[in-house]
Amino acid sequence: MSSDFKLDAVKGHDSEDPEVGSLNGVHTILPERRATTLSDRLFRGSRAGHGEIVSILNEKRGHGSAKKSGPLLSGTAYCISSCSMILLNKVVLSSYNFNAGVSLMFYQNLISSVIVVLLGFSGVVTLEKLNWKLVRVWIPVNIIFIGMLVSGMYSLKYVNIAMVTILKNVTNILTAIGELYLFRKHQSQKVWTAMFFMIISAISSGITDISFDTLGYAWQISNCILTASYSLTLRRVMDEAKKYTRSGSLNEVSMVLLNNLLSLPFAAFLIIMFDEWEYIISVDVIKLPMFWVIATASGLLGLAISFTSMWFLHQTGPTTYSLVGSLNKIPISLAGLVLFKVPLSLPNLFSILFGLFAGIFFAKAKMS
């Protein structure tokens, strides 16, 4: 899951609808979500603490600081966790030549689920009790979530990080088109111009890619479609799911638990269907302690991404959510090229740089 991040998102937040509601595509602003911040939702269990937090937040909103800090903090957290996750997954899948992407996803999501459940039992966070109606509403977005993670795993195995970040620009285009048709949200001429640059950079980068891999590119295109679908569907599902909770709302931690916990049976089914369990039993790499250290670290970062992505989506919108990597694509691309010694041609390097520029231009156009 990569992202596009622009610090100036703070300036454009007020013009961004925080939530999209009804199924007919009409934009609906939900005041209760705009008014409550992350810490408010997480520690709702304590009435006294809740009252104090609300009081403090009301004072901050009076000065306008809450609106400014929310997108900045959530975007920064998402950016850092996303960058680290990509690098570690690349190490596991390529450097260790690990050929069980679904199993890696299962392990990461299992770690996330266990940690969230433990935090819930200890009272550190408040979790909504799961019920069948809530699970049934959440299953569609969870299926997309699984497809997004699995396709991302396999694309990262076959395609170098720099090309993955450039090709992910397609996600921004698909998300913007989805917002137009689903939510009637129109973009400026500058945004469409930037998206045209993104298309050119993606095509030219693919043509000039020395290490071009057809399977890897197919996985990446699938990942772009699924990522755009996830960000668009998630906003609708969040509004529908809260109707089936006792509190009348659904905090980020409960959403993280739903995503990761519900993915486990689906992932187990895929592991059996693709015979990955036989590979896991026989492969030698799982005997290396450092492999487990890196795989576990990637699981912890997976939890961070699940949490920060939902937090960031609450603070902004689907297009902004998919744009977060407009700045962090630069360091992650350079790090990927250097750390993994990717063979480059001069045209391919220029195509990658042009794609990074297109991403930044897109973010500026979107936030202007």
Side-chain angles (χ1 to χ4, degrees):
M1 279 190 276
S2 93
S3 45
D4 301 344
F5 176 57
K6 186 74 180 73
L7 292 177
D8 292 340
V10 176
K11 300 178 181 178
H13 178 54
D14 290 338
S15 62
E16 190 93 41
D17 291 334
E19 299 298 335
V20 180
S22 59
L23 295 178
N24 60 9
V26 178
H27 286 116
T28 304
I29 297 180
L30 303 179
E32 64 179 19
R33 284 190 179 169
R34 174 166 289 211
T36 55
T37 62
L38 178 67
S39 56
D40 185 1
R41 285 189 289 269
L42 294 184
F43 299 98
R44 186 175 286 138
S46 171
R47 293 184 179 179
H50 176 71
E52 293 175 1
I53 292 174
V54 171
S55 177
I56 294 173
L57 291 178
N58 286 335
E59 294 178 6
K60 288 186 177 181
R61 283 195 298 273
H63 296 85
S65 60
K67 289 184 179 180
K68 293 183 179 180
S69 62
L72 179 62
L73 293 176
S74 59
T76 301
Y78 184 35
C79 177
I80 294 174
S81 57
S82 177
C83 285
S84 303
M85 181 75 167
I86 290 175
L87 287 174
L88 286 184
N89 277 343
K90 183 66 174 178
V91 170
V92 172
L93 295 168
S94 296
S95 298
Y96 283 100
N97 196 28
F98 189 67
N99 296 317
V102 179
S103 298
L104 179 60
M105 180 200 72
F106 179 89
Y107 181 65
Q108 292 174 346
N109 292 357
L110 177 62
I111 291 176
S112 298
S113 300
V114 170
I115 292 177
V116 172
V117 170
L118 290 177
L119 291 175
F121 280 137
S122 63
V124 176
V125 298
T126 301
L127 294 174
E128 290 288 344
K129 290 186 177 181
L130 302 184
N131 57 73
W132 170 242
K133 290 183 178 179
L134 178 60
V135 170
R136 185 175 58 186
V137 169
W138 202 263
I139 284 179
V141 74
N142 188 253
I143 292 175
I144 300 175
F145 174 76
I146 295 170
M148 180 181 68
L149 293 186
V150 172
S151 59
M153 290 283 189
Y154 283 107
S155 67
L156 195 59
K157 178 176 176 60
Y158 297 108
V159 182
N160 68 73
I161 291 179
M163 284 304 307
V164 167
T165 57
I166 297 304
L167 293 173
K168 277 186 175 292
N169 282 336
V170 177
T171 302
N172 302 330
I173 301 170
L174 296 176
T175 303
I177 294 174
E179 283 188 318
L180 175 63
Y181 284 96
L182 295 176
F183 307 133
R184 301 295 185 267
K185 185 171 184 178
H186 296 272
Q187 307 296 338
S188 67
Q189 185 176 358
K190 288 183 178 180
V191 171
W192 290 111
T193 302
M195 287 193 287
F196 175 74
F197 289 157
M198 288 178 172
I199 295 174
I200 297 300
S201 67
I203 295 175
S204 61
S205 297
I207 293 175
T208 59
D209 186 5
I210 296 177
S211 56
F212 181 89
D213 188 285
T214 303
L215 181 60
Y217 273 68
W219 278 114
Q220 184 52 53
I221 293 173
S222 300
N223 180 256
C224 291
I225 296 173
L226 290 167
T227 303
S229 301
Y230 175 74
S231 63
L232 292 168
T233 306
L234 182 62
R235 291 170 68 88
R236 285 184 171 180
V237 170
M238 285 191 294
D239 291 332
E240 182 68 19
K242 70 176 185 178
K243 299 177 183 177
Y244 303 104
T245 61
R246 291 186 176 181
S247 63
S249 63
L250 191 63
N251 61 44
E252 276 86 351
V253 180
S254 297
M255 293 184 213
V256 169
L257 180 61
L258 272 171
N259 256 343
N260 289 279
L261 191 61
L262 292 181
S263 70
L264 297 180
F266 289 107
F269 173 76
L270 293 175
I271 291 172
I272 295 174
M273 185 173 70
F274 293 133
D275 293 328
E276 278 196 6
W277 64 274
E278 293 183 355
Y279 171 81
I280 295 296
I281 293 175
S282 60
V283 70
D284 293 331
V285 71
I286 63 172
K287 300 176 183 178
L288 302 176
M290 186 53 65
F291 170 82
W292 288 106
V293 170
I294 297 176
T296 302
S298 67
L300 295 175
L301 286 170
L303 175 60
I305 289 178
S306 296
F307 180 73
T308 56
S309 64
M310 290 182 179
W311 180 21
F312 188 59
L313 187 60
H314 269 291
Q315 296 291 330
T316 55
T319 301
T320 306
Y321 166 80
S322 66
L323 292 181
V324 194
S326 61
L327 288 183
N328 84 315
K329 278 181 179 178
I330 297 176
I332 193 63
S333 297
L334 295 177
L337 293 174
V338 173
L339 294 176
F340 298 98
K341 300 178 181 179
V342 177
L344 275 178
S345 64
L346 190 59
N348 187 235
L349 178 60
F350 279 124
S351 297
I352 291 173
L353 294 176
F354 181 70
L356 295 174
F357 162 77
I360 296 174
F361 179 55
F362 192 9
K364 287 185 176 180
K366 184 64 180 67
M367 303 308 165
S368 62

